[in-house]
Amino acid sequence: GYPSSQEHIAWHNRLISRLNEISGSIAKEKINRGDLEAFMNDWLVTHIAQEDARLAQYVGNSTAPD
């Protein structure tokens, strides 16, 4: 399996937890724009563009025909 799978799963769990907190703030109409921007940056720029890209590369390399 993917060597960093446990770390990757933990990162997803942290993102979900942060998203739940932000969603709760939005529901209460007490959104902190800075928190939302930091979350979006962490999720889109850091996680998807870097971490998910590493996972995709690993999957692509491990399924390539010999």
Side-chain angles (χ1 to χ4, degrees):
Y2 182 54
S4 300
S5 63
Q6 292 304 314
E7 294 87 356
H8 197 87
I9 291 168
W11 195 328
H12 275 244
N13 289 336
R14 285 190 304 273
L15 288 170
I16 290 167
S17 178
R18 286 176 61 199
L19 182 58
N20 286 334
E21 290 172 8
I22 291 169
S23 295
S25 296
I26 291 170
K28 295 174 188 172
E29 297 182 9
K30 295 184 178 183
I31 184 65
N32 180 314
R33 185 179 174 124
D35 287 347
L36 179 58
E37 289 173 355
F39 170 77
M40 296 300 291
N41 184 67
D42 193 28
W43 176 39
L44 296 171
V45 175
T46 304
H47 187 76
I48 292 175
Q50 295 174 13
E51 298 302 320
D52 284 346
R54 284 190 195 115
L55 175 58
Q57 182 178 18
Y58 174 83
V59 169
N61 287 340
S62 63
T63 60
D66 292 332

